[in-house]
Amino acid sequence: MLRIHFNDADLARTRLAPAPDPLFEVAASMHRLQSSRGRWAYAGWYRAARQELREQGLERALRGVLLPLYPRAAYYPDFLTPSSGVEGLEAGVEALLATPAERVAEEVGMLDRLIGAPGWAGRLGEQGVRREFVGVLRAYYGAVVVPHQDRIQARIEAERAVRGRGLLHGGVEGMLAGLGSMFRWCPPVLEVAYPRQTQDRDLYLNGRGLTLVPSYFNWGEPVAFADPGLPPVLWYSLLHEPAARPLREEDPDRSLVNLLGRARAVALRAAAGGATTGEIARAAGVSASAASRHATVLRDAGLITTARIGSAVLHTLTPAGASVLRAARSAAGEAAADCRLS
């Protein structure tokens, strides 16, 4: 677990990034290529990415240059995803190139000790080698990320709309409390799920605030810099609830299923955090057209509202829908009780 400690100044300086972080999306997308975890959610992208890499002659560079530096493991070098990357690709690349050679050598050395680094990685401290590496990064980004930018940006904008609602209703603390199942806000600490192979750690913001960056390609646990001295950034997955969990007899949502049917109960539950039609379809295990029909029924009943944000359609709860969900679950005080008992 990662425990992020806030003070009043940190809450005032916490922000949600306005756009995806290109260099982090590069890293996370390479993890999607290396792991079958969550593959169902990226199946179309995976096929297209492999084809583009093959057609553009980038497979060898991917295997020999990129994947060894971005292992699907508990650590890869912080300098590969600089905090200024949230300002765009050029800002991120400029920061990567400006990283002091001593820091590059230290982080590559840590990678080598923990996972193993390719022999040539020690030369990344040299500007010429690093510029060649950046050229490979740009080619990869253009092949597998740029063709999907519209969808990625639409999902980020939908996420910002949902978090903005939490901010309006409860301030920054309300936004933090609604981040999803990978987080728990127990003031003044944000508890964050972290990879099992990583030791528990504490991050004290000390007035620096926190930049929250939604990521399209990240799957599962959020990611933070290994070095606590760097500007605090937390990248987190847009897919908080990748699949519907099975219902048991004691499940508080069973009454909702009895009332609405399983697919519509799942759709209503998904809309509590804001969900696109595609996300509802994946959560309920139904087709996109069936998910759209279920959303229409819930909307006509006054339980959800639908808004178009860019090319995405975002479904969120109405006050009536939120009341139905709360009544069905009968568990409104569980989170607060958990915090008191921690």
Side-chain angles (χ1 to χ4, degrees):
M1 177 183 294
L2 170 65
R3 292 175 291 267
I4 304 178
H5 298 257
F6 289 74
N7 59 32
D8 289 344
D10 296 314
L11 290 172
R13 291 172 181 161
T14 292
R15 68 181 183 119
L16 188 65
D21 177 342
L23 289 183
F24 184 82
E25 294 305 316
V26 163
S29 68
M30 276 188 266
H31 292 162
R32 301 285 62 75
L33 292 174
Q34 295 177 75
S35 172
S36 60
R37 190 180 178 202
R39 177 70 56 78
W40 60 268
Y42 303 93
W45 169 83
Y46 181 83
R47 289 191 297 271
R50 298 305 308 217
Q51 182 177 344
E52 283 296 321
L53 290 167
R54 185 166 53 251
E55 291 180 354
Q56 296 190 32
L58 292 171
E59 288 183 313
R60 183 175 179 181
L62 176 69
R63 290 192 301 268
V65 177
L66 297 178
L67 294 184
L69 288 181
Y70 297 87
R72 180 75 179 121
Y75 177 80
Y76 61 87
D78 288 335
F79 79 88
L80 296 173
T81 54
S83 60
S84 55
V86 298
E87 308 301 331
L89 179 64
E90 296 308 318
V93 165
E94 184 177 334
L96 193 160
L97 290 171
T99 306
E102 296 79 8
R103 181 183 152 200
V104 172
E106 180 181 345
E107 293 183 5
V108 169
M110 183 178 294
L111 175 67
D112 193 40
R113 290 192 300 275
L114 295 176
I115 295 104
W120 59 265
R123 297 183 58 208
L124 279 170
E126 303 172 18
Q127 272 296 307
V129 174
R130 211 181 312 171
R131 287 190 180 278
E132 290 181 14
F133 173 73
V134 164
V136 176
L137 275 184
R138 287 184 184 276
Y140 174 89
Y141 179 76
V144 306
V145 179
V146 169
H148 306 273
Q149 274 185 322
D150 288 345
R151 172 166 174 73
I152 293 171
Q153 184 61 43
R155 288 290 289 110
I156 297 294
E157 290 174 357
E159 171 70 7
R160 282 174 57 80
V162 173
R163 299 305 147 222
R165 190 172 68 245
L167 184 66
L168 287 172
H169 290 178
V172 173
E173 292 192 71
M175 181 178 69
L176 294 174
L179 280 173
S181 60
M182 294 285 178
F183 303 84
R184 188 170 67 162
W185 174 240
C186 294
V189 178
L190 181 65
E191 297 179 350
V192 183
Y194 229 49
R196 291 185 180 88
Q197 66 268 35
T198 303
Q199 290 184 342
D200 287 0
R201 53 182 289 222
D202 291 271
L203 174 60
Y204 293 88
L205 300 180
N206 295 325
R208 296 174 295 171
L210 179 68
T211 300
L212 293 161
V213 187
S215 169
Y216 181 80
F217 287 111
N218 191 57
W219 183 267
E221 297 89 355
V223 177
F225 285 128
D227 183 352
L230 294 172
V233 179
L234 188 68
W235 295 272
Y236 69 95
S237 172
L238 292 173
L239 301 173
H240 301 303
E241 303 289 348
R245 53 182 171 80
L247 289 166
R248 302 176 297 275
E249 288 301 324
E250 69 273 18
D251 198 308
D253 277 358
R254 180 162 293 282
S255 61
L256 194 64
V257 172
N258 294 336
L259 175 67
L260 300 174
R262 180 186 174 281
R264 288 175 192 166
V266 171
L268 189 68
R269 189 172 63 201
T276 65
T277 302
E279 288 170 337
I280 289 175
R282 292 192 291 270
V286 299
S287 67
S289 59
S292 181
R293 290 194 297 271
H294 291 313
T296 297
V297 170
L298 293 174
R299 185 170 58 251
D300 290 345
L303 299 180
I304 68 171
T305 185
T306 301
R308 181 169 291 279
I309 304 175
S311 61
V313 174
L314 182 70
H315 307 286
T316 55
L317 293 180
T318 63
S323 296
V324 168
L325 195 59
R326 282 196 301 271
R329 288 177 171 174
S330 302
E334 286 184 357
D338 284 346
C339 289
R340 289 195 294 272
L341 293 171
S342 297

Coordinates of all heavy atoms in Angstrom, one line a residue, residues 114-160:
L114 N 17.6 -4.5 -9.5 CA 16.3 -5.0 -9.2 C 15.7 -6.0 -10.2 O 15.1 -7.1 -9.9 CB 15.2 -3.9 -9.0 CG 15.5 -3.0 -7.8 CD1 14.5 -1.8 -7.8 CD2 15.5 -3.7 -6.5
I115 N 15.9 -5.7 -11.5 CA 15.3 -6.5 -12.6 C 16.3 -7.0 -13.6 O 16.2 -8.1 -14.1 CB 14.1 -5.8 -13.3 CG1 13.0 -5.5 -12.3 CG2 13.6 -6.5 -14.5 CD1 12.9 -4.1 -11.8
G116 N 17.3 -6.1 -13.9 CA 18.2 -6.4 -14.9 C 18.1 -5.4 -16.0 O 16.9 -5.2 -16.5
A117 N 19.1 -4.8 -16.5 CA 19.1 -3.8 -17.5 C 20.0 -4.2 -18.7 O 21.0 -4.9 -18.5 CB 19.5 -2.4 -17.0
P118 N 19.6 -3.8 -19.9 CA 20.5 -4.1 -21.0 C 21.9 -3.4 -20.9 O 22.0 -2.4 -20.3 CB 19.7 -3.6 -22.2 CG 18.8 -2.6 -21.7 CD 18.5 -3.0 -20.3
G119 N 22.9 -4.1 -21.4 CA 24.3 -3.5 -21.3 C 24.4 -2.1 -21.8 O 25.1 -1.3 -21.2
W120 N 23.7 -1.8 -22.9 CA 23.9 -0.5 -23.5 C 23.2 0.6 -22.7 O 23.5 1.8 -22.9 CB 23.3 -0.5 -24.9 CG 21.8 -0.8 -24.9 CD1 21.3 -2.1 -25.2 CD2 20.7 0.1 -24.7 NE1 19.9 -2.0 -25.1 CE2 19.5 -0.7 -24.8 CE3 20.6 1.4 -24.4 CZ2 18.2 -0.2 -24.7 CZ3 19.3 2.0 -24.3 CH2 18.2 1.2 -24.4
A121 N 22.3 0.3 -21.7 CA 21.5 1.3 -21.0 C 22.4 2.2 -20.2 O 22.1 3.4 -19.9 CB 20.5 0.6 -20.1
G122 N 23.6 1.7 -19.8 CA 24.5 2.6 -19.1 C 25.0 3.8 -19.8 O 25.5 4.8 -19.2
R123 N 24.8 3.7 -21.2 CA 25.3 4.9 -22.0 C 24.2 5.9 -22.1 O 24.4 7.0 -22.8 CB 25.7 4.4 -23.4 CG 26.9 3.5 -23.3 CD 27.3 3.1 -24.7 NE 27.6 4.3 -25.5 CZ 27.5 4.3 -26.9 NH1 27.0 3.3 -27.5 NH2 27.8 5.4 -27.5
L124 N 23.0 5.7 -21.5 CA 21.9 6.7 -21.7 C 22.3 8.0 -21.0 O 21.6 9.0 -21.3 CB 20.6 6.2 -21.0 CG 19.9 5.2 -21.9 CD1 18.8 4.5 -21.2 CD2 19.3 5.9 -23.1
G125 N 23.3 8.1 -20.2 CA 23.8 9.4 -19.7 C 24.4 10.3 -20.8 O 24.4 11.5 -20.6
E126 N 24.8 9.7 -21.9 CA 25.3 10.4 -23.0 C 24.2 11.0 -23.8 O 23.2 10.3 -24.2 CB 26.2 9.5 -23.9 CG 27.3 8.8 -23.2 CD 28.0 7.8 -24.1 OE1 27.8 7.9 -25.3 OE2 28.7 6.9 -23.5
Q127 N 24.3 12.3 -24.1 CA 23.2 13.0 -24.8 C 22.9 12.4 -26.2 O 21.8 12.3 -26.6 CB 23.6 14.5 -25.0 CG 23.1 15.3 -23.8 CD 21.6 15.4 -23.6 OE1 20.9 15.7 -24.5 NE2 21.2 15.1 -22.4
G128 N 24.0 12.0 -26.9 CA 23.8 11.4 -28.2 C 22.9 10.1 -28.2 O 22.0 9.9 -28.9
V129 N 23.3 9.3 -27.2 CA 22.6 8.0 -27.1 C 21.1 8.3 -26.6 O 20.2 7.6 -27.1 CB 23.3 7.1 -26.0 CG1 22.5 5.8 -25.8 CG2 24.7 6.7 -26.5
R130 N 21.0 9.3 -25.7 CA 19.6 9.5 -25.2 C 18.7 10.1 -26.3 O 17.5 9.8 -26.4 CB 19.7 10.5 -24.0 CG 18.5 10.3 -23.1 CD 18.5 11.2 -21.9 NE 19.9 11.3 -21.3 CZ 20.1 12.2 -20.3 NH1 19.2 13.0 -19.9 NH2 21.3 12.3 -19.8
R131 N 19.3 10.9 -27.2 CA 18.5 11.5 -28.3 C 18.1 10.4 -29.3 O 17.0 10.4 -29.8 CB 19.4 12.5 -29.1 CG 19.5 13.8 -28.3 CD 20.1 15.0 -29.1 NE 20.2 16.2 -28.3 CZ 19.1 17.0 -28.1 NH1 18.0 16.8 -28.6 NH2 19.3 18.1 -27.3
E132 N 19.0 9.4 -29.5 CA 18.6 8.2 -30.4 C 17.5 7.5 -29.7 O 16.5 7.0 -30.4 CB 19.8 7.3 -30.6 CG 20.9 7.9 -31.5 CD 22.0 6.9 -31.7 OE1 21.9 5.7 -31.3 OE2 23.1 7.4 -32.1
F133 N 17.5 7.3 -28.4 CA 16.5 6.6 -27.7 C 15.2 7.4 -27.8 O 14.1 6.8 -28.0 CB 16.9 6.5 -26.2 CG 15.8 6.0 -25.3 CD1 15.4 4.6 -25.3 CD2 15.1 6.8 -24.4 CE1 14.4 4.1 -24.5 CE2 14.1 6.3 -23.6 CZ 13.8 5.0 -23.7
V134 N 15.2 8.7 -27.7 CA 14.0 9.5 -27.8 C 13.4 9.4 -29.2 O 12.2 9.4 -29.4 CB 14.3 11.0 -27.5 CG1 13.2 11.9 -28.0 CG2 14.5 11.2 -26.0
G135 N 14.3 9.2 -30.2 CA 13.8 9.0 -31.6 C 13.0 7.7 -31.7 O 11.9 7.7 -32.3
V136 N 13.4 6.7 -31.0 CA 12.7 5.4 -30.9 C 11.4 5.6 -30.2 O 10.3 5.1 -30.6 CB 13.5 4.3 -30.3 CG1 12.7 3.0 -30.2 CG2 14.8 4.1 -31.1
L137 N 11.4 6.3 -29.1 CA 10.2 6.6 -28.3 C 9.1 7.3 -29.2 O 8.0 7.0 -29.2 CB 10.5 7.5 -27.1 CG 11.0 6.8 -25.8 CD1 11.1 7.9 -24.7 CD2 10.0 5.8 -25.4
R138 N 9.6 8.3 -29.9 CA 8.7 9.1 -30.8 C 8.1 8.2 -31.9 O 6.9 8.3 -32.2 CB 9.4 10.2 -31.5 CG 9.8 11.4 -30.6 CD 10.4 12.5 -31.4 NE 10.8 13.6 -30.6 CZ 10.1 14.6 -30.3 NH1 8.8 14.6 -30.6 NH2 10.6 15.6 -29.6
A139 N 8.9 7.3 -32.4 CA 8.3 6.4 -33.5 C 7.3 5.5 -32.9 O 6.2 5.2 -33.5 CB 9.5 5.6 -34.1
Y140 N 7.6 4.9 -31.7 CA 6.6 4.0 -31.0 C 5.3 4.8 -30.7 O 4.2 4.3 -31.0 CB 7.3 3.5 -29.8 CG 6.3 2.7 -28.9 CD1 6.2 1.3 -29.1 CD2 5.5 3.3 -27.9 CE1 5.3 0.5 -28.4 CE2 4.7 2.5 -27.2 CZ 4.5 1.2 -27.4 OH 3.7 0.4 -26.6
Y141 N 5.5 6.0 -30.2 CA 4.3 6.8 -29.8 C 3.4 7.1 -31.0 O 2.2 6.9 -31.0 CB 4.8 8.1 -29.2 CG 3.7 9.0 -28.8 CD1 2.9 8.8 -27.6 CD2 3.4 10.2 -29.6 CE1 1.9 9.7 -27.3 CE2 2.4 11.0 -29.2 CZ 1.6 10.8 -28.0 OH 0.6 11.7 -27.7
G142 N 4.1 7.4 -32.1 CA 3.3 7.7 -33.4 C 2.6 6.5 -33.9 O 1.5 6.6 -34.5
A143 N 3.2 5.3 -33.7 CA 2.6 4.0 -34.2 C 1.5 3.5 -33.4 O 0.5 3.0 -34.0 CB 3.7 3.0 -34.4
V144 N 1.6 3.5 -32.1 CA 0.6 2.8 -31.3 C -0.3 3.7 -30.4 O -1.3 3.2 -29.8 CB 1.3 1.7 -30.4 CG1 2.2 0.8 -31.3 CG2 2.1 2.4 -29.3
V145 N 0.1 5.0 -30.2 CA -0.7 5.8 -29.3 C -1.5 6.9 -30.1 O -2.7 7.0 -30.0 CB 0.2 6.5 -28.2 CG1 -0.7 7.4 -27.4 CG2 0.9 5.5 -27.4
V146 N -0.8 7.6 -31.0 CA -1.4 8.6 -31.8 C -2.7 8.2 -32.5 O -3.7 8.9 -32.5 CB -0.4 9.3 -32.8 CG1 -1.1 10.2 -33.8 CG2 0.7 10.0 -32.0
P147 N -2.7 7.0 -33.2 CA -3.9 6.6 -33.9 C -5.2 6.5 -33.0 O -6.3 6.5 -33.5 CB -3.6 5.3 -34.5 CG -2.1 5.3 -34.6 CD -1.6 6.0 -33.4
H148 N -5.0 6.4 -31.7 CA -6.1 6.3 -30.7 C -6.3 7.5 -29.8 O -7.0 7.4 -28.9 CB -5.8 5.0 -29.9 CG -5.5 3.8 -30.6 ND1 -6.5 3.0 -31.1 CD2 -4.3 3.3 -31.1 CE1 -6.0 2.0 -31.8 NE2 -4.7 2.2 -31.8
Q149 N -5.7 8.6 -30.2 CA -5.7 9.8 -29.4 C -7.1 10.3 -29.1 O -7.4 10.8 -28.0 CB -4.8 10.9 -30.0 CG -3.4 10.8 -29.6 CD -2.6 12.0 -30.2 OE1 -2.8 12.5 -31.3 NE2 -1.6 12.5 -29.4
D150 N -8.0 10.3 -30.1 CA -9.3 10.9 -29.9 C -10.0 10.1 -28.9 O -10.7 10.7 -28.0 CB -10.1 10.8 -31.3 CG -9.6 11.8 -32.3 OD1 -8.8 12.7 -31.9 OD2 -9.9 11.7 -33.5
R151 N -10.0 8.8 -28.9 CA -10.7 8.0 -27.9 C -10.0 8.2 -26.5 O -10.7 8.3 -25.5 CB -10.6 6.5 -28.3 CG -11.2 5.6 -27.1 CD -11.5 4.2 -27.6 NE -11.9 3.4 -26.4 CZ -13.0 3.5 -25.8 NH1 -13.9 4.3 -26.1 NH2 -13.3 2.7 -24.7
I152 N -8.7 8.2 -26.5 CA -8.0 8.4 -25.2 C -8.4 9.8 -24.6 O -8.8 9.8 -23.4 CB -6.5 8.4 -25.4 CG1 -6.1 6.9 -25.8 CG2 -5.7 8.8 -24.1 CD1 -4.6 6.8 -26.2
Q153 N -8.4 10.8 -25.4 CA -8.8 12.1 -24.9 C -10.2 12.2 -24.4 O -10.6 12.8 -23.4 CB -8.5 13.2 -25.9 CG -8.8 14.7 -25.4 CD -7.9 15.0 -24.2 OE1 -6.7 14.8 -24.2 NE2 -8.5 15.7 -23.3
A154 N -11.1 11.5 -25.2 CA -12.5 11.5 -24.8 C -12.7 10.8 -23.4 O -13.5 11.3 -22.6 CB -13.3 10.8 -25.9
R155 N -12.0 9.7 -23.2 CA -12.1 9.0 -21.9 C -11.5 9.9 -20.8 O -12.1 9.9 -19.7 CB -11.3 7.7 -22.0 CG -12.0 6.7 -22.8 CD -13.3 6.1 -22.1 NE -12.9 5.3 -21.0 CZ -13.1 5.7 -19.7 NH1 -13.7 6.9 -19.4 NH2 -12.8 4.9 -18.7
I156 N -10.4 10.6 -21.1 CA -9.9 11.5 -20.0 C -10.9 12.6 -19.7 O -11.1 13.0 -18.5 CB -8.5 12.1 -20.5 CG1 -7.5 11.0 -20.8 CG2 -8.0 13.2 -19.5 CD1 -7.0 10.3 -19.5
E157 N -11.5 13.2 -20.7 CA -12.5 14.3 -20.5 C -13.7 13.7 -19.7 O -14.2 14.4 -18.9 CB -12.9 14.9 -21.8 CG -11.8 15.7 -22.5 CD -12.2 16.1 -23.9 OE1 -13.3 15.8 -24.4 OE2 -11.4 16.9 -24.5
A158 N -14.1 12.5 -20.0 CA -15.2 11.9 -19.3 C -14.8 11.7 -17.8 O -15.6 12.0 -16.9 CB -15.6 10.6 -19.9
E159 N -13.6 11.3 -17.6 CA -13.1 11.1 -16.2 C -13.1 12.4 -15.5 O -13.5 12.5 -14.3 CB -11.7 10.5 -16.2 CG -11.0 10.4 -14.9 CD -11.6 9.4 -13.9 OE1 -12.5 8.7 -14.3 OE2 -11.2 9.4 -12.7
R160 N -12.6 13.5 -16.2 CA -12.5 14.8 -15.5 C -13.9 15.3 -15.2 O -14.1 16.0 -14.2 CB -11.8 15.8 -16.5 CG -10.3 15.6 -16.4 CD -9.6 16.5 -17.5 NE -10.0 17.9 -17.3 CZ -9.4 18.7 -16.4 NH1 -8.4 18.3 -15.6 NH2 -9.8 20.0 -16.3

